[in-house]
Structures are given as structure tokens and as C-alpha cells.
Amino acid sequence: MIKSELVQIIANKNPHLFLRDVENIVSAIFDEITDALASGNRVELRGFGAFSVKNRPARTGRNPRTGESVEVEEKWIPFFKTGKELRERLNVDK
Amino acid sequence: MEGKTLTRADLAEAVYRKVGLSRSESAQLVESVLDEICSAIVRGEDVKLSSFATFHVREKNERIGRNPKTGEEVPISPRRVMTFKASNVLKSRIIDGHTSAAKGSKAKKAG
């Protein structure tokens, strides 16, 4: 499923909304999550999962081809932990 | 850096603020967007949200694990897991947000 298909499904279930409104709703949700993570917050959605940011400190790396040392800058990466309910729903038949 | 935790209520508030639906309808729509994503994942479909992230479902085979406390070998049943791959847009937004905040706090200390 891609974003436009998600928008279409939601639009079909809400015939009183314009497609453009649904696009804005879906964008608002993911923009809000992005903004939260960019400003150092986390987002916890019970039953779905939690988005957070992990810090990777600066380190001295090595170019695997040449063996040369390179300084790798500190960075922050997004992290997602699947919620318990979704994890269980993925394996109900197992 | 703020260090708050946002929930569904904050996402509903964002929809209310940006789209102008009622608060209760905003909350319902946030719920149905999350429901549809969950359903697609449970059906085994990948969910690709451009400029945000991809949720991918992986099938894992049975493997032998070990209880780290007792050292006992136990079979880990085959299972499905979900993986999250952030888009480059999301990654760079997060790096930009954190590096500018780091510079901002250094500037404050200097000043």
C-alpha cells in the first residue's frame, strides 16, 4: 500500500470529505510525527508502535576499501519499535 | 531538545489545527489512518509512505535460540516481524533538527 492508496481508502470510507482534505489529513499526521522527532520528542501510538530518535556518537570509521581512517560525525537516527498488539496480530495464525 | 512524548491526542490536535475538522472527527480520522496501516501490515502488505518511511513485513524462519540465563537451547518459532525504514527526507529532517538545536544551545552558552 502506498500513500495515495491509503488516502483513497480513507476517502471511500468518508464520502463527505474531499480527496484533497484526506490528503491533508494524512500529511498532517506524518508531518506532525516528523516535526516531533526533529525537535527531539518521541511519538507513542498504543497498539501501533513508538517512534523515537537514537543518537549515534561521533566515531573514527575506516574506509573498508582503502583502510583509511575517517572521522564520522555524530548523528541522530529515527527508530521504530512495533507495538505489542500489532506484533501479536502479525502472528495470530502462527 | 524538548523530550516530550506525543500521543494520538497530539496527532488529532494537529489534524484539527491544520485541516479544520472538528476535534472528534480529527481523532476518528487519526484512528482510521492507523487502523488501515495496521490492517495492510497484518495482511502482509508493505506500506510505503513517501517522504516518511516504509513499513515492511518480513517472514522469519525457525531458529535455535538460547536462554541467556540458563544457557538452555530453545527453538524460536517461525514468525512475522515488521521492519521500519525511514526515508531520506525523514532522516535528514531529524539530523537538521538536532544539529541546529545543538548549535543553538552552544551559542547560548557562549553568549
Side-chain angles (χ1 to χ4, degrees):
Chain A
M1 183 167 79
I2 60 172
K3 200 194 273 173
S4 58
E5 292 165 340
L6 173 64
V7 167
Q8 193 62 59
I9 293 169
I10 305 288
N12 292 346
K13 292 188 174 174
N14 294 275
H16 63 292
L17 297 175
F18 290 115
L19 194 65
R20 202 186 49 227
D21 293 328
V22 181
E23 281 169 359
N24 289 337
I25 291 161
V26 171
S27 301
I29 293 171
F30 295 107
D31 287 351
E32 189 68 12
I33 297 174
T34 304
D35 288 347
L37 296 175
S39 47
N41 295 327
R42 58 194 290 280
V43 181
E44 188 178 308
L45 303 167
R46 288 282 158 87
F48 184 72
F51 299 91
S52 58
V53 175
K54 289 198 168 177
N55 178 256
R56 293 267 181 276
R59 61 188 169 86
T60 307
R62 233 168 239 287
N63 180 331
R65 196 188 302 242
T66 62
E68 188 188 355
S69 291
V70 276
E71 292 307 318
V72 180
E73 277 194 11
E74 176 181 30
K75 59 187 164 191
W76 291 265
I77 56 154
F79 181 79
F80 178 78
K81 184 171 192 290
T82 312
K84 196 177 167 196
E85 197 193 310
L86 181 54
R87 212 161 52 221
E88 284 167 0
R89 279 179 65 196
L90 276 167
N91 292 290
V92 276
D93 50 336
K94 301 285 160 76
Chain B
M1 294 289 99
E2 298 164 64
K4 281 190 303 186
T5 298
L6 276 73
T7 62
R8 280 176 168 73
D10 300 285
L11 299 185
E13 187 64 26
V15 171
Y16 166 75
R17 217 171 51 231
K18 293 178 187 169
V19 187
L21 301 173
S22 72
R23 281 203 159 83
S24 68
E25 199 176 12
S26 301
Q28 278 168 23
L29 281 154
V30 168
E31 204 53 57
S32 68
V33 167
L34 295 176
D35 276 352
E36 293 302 335
I37 296 174
C38 282
S39 308
I41 292 166
V42 170
R43 286 196 301 271
E45 270 182 56
D46 290 351
V47 176
K48 295 180 182 182
L49 301 166
S50 74
S51 77
F52 183 72
T54 301
F55 298 102
H56 185 74
V57 183
R58 288 186 59 191
E59 300 281 342
K60 293 203 155 190
N61 290 327
E62 186 184 68
R63 62 189 172 91
I64 302 299
R66 207 181 272 275
N67 180 330
K69 198 172 286 183
T70 62
E72 189 187 356
E73 285 191 351
V74 278
I76 296 175
S77 57
R79 64 191 60 218
R80 290 200 296 173
V81 295
M82 179 173 135
T83 61
F84 168 82
K85 189 170 189 299
S87 69
N88 289 329
V89 176
L90 178 60
K91 285 187 200 163
S92 60
R93 285 284 320 275
I94 289 172
I95 289 180
D96 289 350
H98 284 75
T99 42
S100 62
K103 276 176 195 151
S105 63
K106 272 175 203 159
K108 261 181 220 162
K109 274 176 206 159

